[in-house]
Each structure stands twice: as structure tokens, then as C-alpha cells.
Amino acid sequence: QKEVEQNSGPLSVPEGAIASLNCTYSDRGSQSFFWYRQYSGKSPELIMFIYSNGDKEDGRFTAQLNKASQYVSLLIRDSQPSDSATYLCASDNAGKSTFGDGTTLTVKP
Amino acid sequence: NAGVTQTPKFQVLKTGQSMTLQCAQDMNHNSMYWYRQDPGMGLRLIYYSASEGTTDKGEVPNGYNVSRLNKREFSLRLESAAPSQTSVYFCASSERRAGSTEAFFGQGTRLTVV
């Protein structure tokens, strides 16, 4: 079992819909969690960081963390075609980061 | 432009050759990282440096060495390249600031070992 598991996808949603991306982790020592967006052939870009249980909102993005269930999610509201990318979930334990394999999202106009 | 600069962008090596990937950041970040990304996969941590003068192994350190030359620079060395090291390599830096975190990646080095 990988330390960080993501739905492999691909995930396809219509423009304007809510995209929901999920991630589970196995290392209970992980303190911080990240969501990165990576366009094809490009570098990852940090879009959300969360370390407390609950929700964290930033514009159209909401990250949710449930440490008891070892679950992290990312919601993208009002999805746009420009949101089409691979989304990487990562955990961090004292500086040592572990990434999932990513979920590819396609937003159809 | 501020950010993380990696060199080179592309490299082809023969099996057994050595090379060093260079990385520099100008954001005064304490933490720096080297990752590799294979097709269709996420990033795997090779080595990281939480601060100047310290380095630690990540998930896949075998076949690599690193040097944190100063706060700005973190290099990755392949002593004897193998075809299994064909990958895209990313350098990153990060800093925890006032309840948030900023992290930036370099543009990547596409390495092919033949």
C-alpha cells in the first residue's frame, strides 16, 4: 500500500460543476498536507496547504482534512477548463514529503 | 525573476557517467528538496535539506548524493548513472510563514540515461 493514495481518475466534470478530489494517507505522523496542480509537461504548483482538521478555503478551492480518518480532499467550485490538470496530494512528516500518484482532472466546456 | 532555477534543462548520459544537477533559490527559504518524477506517477523524494548544513535521505536516495552548498544552493549528484535513473528531476524550496507555507519548484531537468 502506498503511503498516499489518490483516486487514479481520470475525473471529468462539466464547466461550472464542483470537482472533488480525494486522498488518503497512512502515516499518522504526518502533520501537514498539500495539494499541487501540475499541467502537462510543467512543474507542480502549490495551490493549498492544510494542517488543522476541518476546512480551509481559498477562492474557488476548499481543502478538507480529517486526521482521524486520515483523509484529505480538495473541492474546486465553478470548475473552469483552465483547471484541467493533474492534482497531486502530498503529506509531510518533519520535512519528509510523500506524494500520491495524482488525479487527472478534465473540465469540459 | 524570483524563484527556483535548475540547470541543465535536458541531459543525456551514458551508463556509468556522472553528473551534477544544480539548483538555486532566491527566496531565502530554509528547506530545499530534490524529487524525481517518472511517467504517470507522482513525485518521489530523493533527498531534502531542512536548513543550511543539513541533509536527509528521502524515499529513493540510492545512487544519488547531495550537497547543500549554502542557503541558496542545493545540488544533486549522480556518481554512476544507470538507465533506471532516467526521469524528470525537480528541485523545490519551501518555507513555513505565519500559519501558511510557500513552496516553489524549478522547471525540471529531463535526464535520459542510455
Side-chain angles (χ1 to χ4, degrees), chain B residues 71-103:
Chain B
K71 192 171 186 178
R72 291 187 65 246
E73 299 173 286
F74 190 37
S75 63
L76 178 71
R77 182 160 179 84
L78 285 72
E79 291 291 351
S80 179
S84 60
Q85 294 178 305
T86 294
S87 191
V88 179
Y89 291 84
F90 288 103
C91 177
S93 70
S94 73
E95 188 72 28
R96 190 86 174 251
R97 300 189 193 282
S100 185
T101 289
E102 59 180 32

Side-chain angles (χ1 to χ4, degrees), chain B residues 28-101:
Chain B
N28 203 35
H29 287 172
N30 278 298
S31 300
M32 297 187 74
Y33 311 82
W34 276 105
Y35 297 94
R36 60 178 288 174
Q37 186 174 33
D38 298 315
M41 298 180 68
L43 286 80
R44 289 186 290 171
L45 182 64
I46 304 171
Y47 272 93
Y48 65 104
S49 171
S51 62
E52 183 179 355
T54 69
T55 61
D56 288 284
K57 294 179 180 180
E59 182 183 354
V60 289
N62 292 344
Y64 306 95
N65 285 300
V66 291
S67 296
R68 183 74 183 266
L69 304 170
N70 47 55
K71 192 171 186 178
R72 291 187 65 246
E73 299 173 286
F74 190 37
S75 63
L76 178 71
R77 182 160 179 84
L78 285 72
E79 291 291 351
S80 179
S84 60
Q85 294 178 305
T86 294
S87 191
V88 179
Y89 291 84
F90 288 103
C91 177
S93 70
S94 73
E95 188 72 28
R96 190 86 174 251
R97 300 189 193 282
S100 185
T101 289

Side-chain angles (χ1 to χ4, degrees), chain B residues 8-9 11 25-26 50-51 55 63 74 83 92-93 104 110:
Chain B
K9 291 185 180 180
Q11 184 72 48
Q25 53 93 8
D26 59 6
S51 62
T55 61
F74 190 37
S93 70
F104 294 96
R110 297 181 185 278

Side-chain angles (χ1 to χ4, degrees), chain B residues 8-22:
Chain B
K9 291 185 180 180
F10 300 94
Q11 184 72 48
V12 179
L13 289 178
K14 293 182 179 179
T15 297
Q17 287 185 318
S18 62
M19 78 163 295
T20 299
L21 281 65
Q22 307 286 353

Side-chain angles (χ1 to χ4, degrees), chain A residues 36 38 41 43 49 97 99-101, chain B residues 35 37 42-43 101 106-107 110:
Chain A
Y36 292 85
Q38 186 175 28
S43 306
F49 159 72
S97 51
F99 281 74
D101 286 341
Chain B
Y35 297 94
Q37 186 174 33
L43 286 80
T101 289
Q107 74 271 40
R110 297 181 185 278

